[in-house]
């Protein structure tokens, strides 16, 4: 499917490149999860591009094609009738590609990272707590909660520390993409069951009125330091 879409899109949009990102790339996906794709291409009207892509997909027999042009990052959603995969294609979603690389690196430190994260995401999915459009947390947000927890449990280090920083501009904003790709997992002996149980214990006792989850910091920040004092 990816090969077919890559051939179709790069032929139609010269100078473009199709990249897989998200949980299907990090290895943190659940069965039946979406396939997230990013079309990197020279700057153009993203809304028109999304509409062109949706028209192409309909002509190829894709099902339930939706062009979400008003989203922060315009996106095309559809279902491939052959495989049954639900697919999202976004345009120049560069930051998500960098985020995927970060989570992939964390998942590669210790197999328990992926196991814990998928347990938590499975739990959230089956309690209707994993749909950002409906006002709950996204799958990505649950992954971040799991990473923060495992940092604080001593299973994994903070990959975003270090004096030599790497800054990249994305959509007119500067982001710190510093990452220690040579880091190793810590010597934590906790079992999968213990790590999942302590996840629920940690966040059920979290001070949400004062603490902000921050995997970049490796431990929680205060709302005051984050500048979120006006948020409920």
């Amino acid at each position: 499917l990816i090969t077919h879409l890559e051939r179709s899109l790069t032929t139609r949009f010269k100078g473009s490149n199709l990249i897989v990102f998200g949980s299907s790339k990090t290895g943190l996906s659940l069965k039946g999860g979406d396939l997230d794709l990013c079309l990197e291409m020279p700057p153009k009207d993203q809304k028109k591009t999304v509409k062109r892509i949706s028209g192409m997909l309909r002509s190829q027999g894709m099902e339930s094609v939706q062009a979400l042009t008003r989203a922060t990052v315009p996106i095309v959603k559809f279902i491939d009738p052959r495989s049954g995969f639900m697919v999202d294609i976004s345009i120049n979603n560069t930051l998500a590609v960098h985020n995927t690389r970060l989570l992939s690196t964390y998942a590669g430190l210790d197999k328990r990272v992926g196991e814990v994260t998928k347990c938590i995401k499975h739990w959230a999915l089956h309690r209707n707590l994993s749909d950002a459009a409906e006002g709950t947390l996204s799958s990505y947000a649950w992954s971040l909660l799991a990473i923060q927890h495992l940092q604080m449990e001593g299973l994994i280090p903070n990959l975003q520390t270090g004096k030599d920083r790497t800054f990249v501009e994305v959509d007119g904003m500067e982001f710190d993409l510093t990452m220690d790709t040579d880091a190793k997992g810590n010597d934590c002996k906790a079992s999968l069951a213990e790590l999942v149980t302590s996840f629920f214990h940690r966040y059920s006792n979290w001070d949400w009125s004062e603490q902000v989850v921050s995997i970049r910091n490796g431990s929680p920040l205060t709302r005051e330091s984050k500048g979120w004092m006006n948020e409920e």
Side-chain angles (χ1 to χ4, degrees), residues 16-216:
S16 64
N17 183 34
L18 191 65
I19 300 173
V20 182
F21 72 96
S23 57
S24 59
K25 182 70 173 178
T26 61
L28 303 178
S29 63
L30 300 177
K31 184 178 180 180
D34 293 354
L35 175 61
D36 294 305
L37 303 173
C38 171
L39 185 66
E40 288 191 337
M41 58 185 296
K44 288 185 179 180
D45 187 318
Q46 293 189 349
K47 293 182 179 180
K48 288 183 179 179
T49 301
V50 162
K51 290 179 180 178
R52 285 184 64 191
I53 293 174
S54 62
M56 180 197 78
L57 294 170
R58 290 189 184 95
S59 70
Q60 294 180 349
M62 299 300 179
E63 299 175 347
S64 304
V65 180
Q66 295 177 279
L68 307 181
T69 58
R70 295 185 179 181
T72 304
V73 177
I75 192 171
V76 182
K77 302 175 75 72
F78 66 95
I79 298 174
D80 172 45
R82 298 168 187 81
S83 63
F85 288 141
M86 295 178 287
V87 185
D88 293 349
I89 301 179
S90 52
I91 313 298
N92 291 334
N93 195 3
T94 310
L95 194 58
V97 174
H98 291 304
N99 290 340
T100 295
R101 180 168 168 258
L102 178 64
L103 262 62
S104 294
T105 306
Y106 271 120
L109 292 174
D110 190 293
K111 70 174 185 176
R112 288 170 290 180
V113 175
E115 292 173 342
V116 170
T117 303
K118 285 187 278 190
C119 282
I120 300 306
K121 288 170 66 172
H122 178 84
W123 173 86
L125 177 67
H126 288 276
R127 284 155 184 79
N128 298 316
L129 295 173
S130 187
D131 189 346
E134 294 297 322
T136 58
L137 296 181
S138 67
S139 173
Y140 177 65
W142 284 110
S143 296
L144 295 183
L145 286 172
I147 295 294
Q148 177 86 105
H149 169 63
L150 296 177
Q151 287 174 329
M152 296 177 72
E153 285 294 304
L155 178 68
I156 52 177
N158 180 359
L159 295 179
Q160 294 172 280
T161 58
K163 294 181 179 179
D164 296 328
R165 313 303 294 177
T166 301
F167 294 95
V168 173
E169 186 173 301
V170 178
D171 297 329
M173 295 179 65
E174 189 176 66
F175 291 90
D176 185 349
L177 301 183
T178 303
M179 183 168 59
D180 182 3
T181 56
D182 296 322
K184 305 295 181 184
N186 296 328
D187 187 23
C188 172
K189 303 301 184 183
S191 67
L192 173 60
E194 290 170 333
L195 292 169
V196 171
T197 302
S198 57
F199 173 93
F200 291 106
H201 184 269
R202 180 180 304 283
Y203 288 116
S204 63
N205 290 283
W206 192 271
D207 186 355
W208 296 101
S209 64
E210 293 292 336
Q211 292 180 306
V212 177
V213 171
S214 174
I215 69 169
R216 178 189 299 280

Side-chain angles (χ1 to χ4, degrees), residues 210-212 217 219-229:
E210 293 292 336
Q211 292 180 306
V212 177
N217 191 54
S219 59
L221 296 170
T222 65
R223 278 181 172 270
E224 184 175 10
S225 66
K226 190 68 176 172
W228 286 0
M229 297 308 294

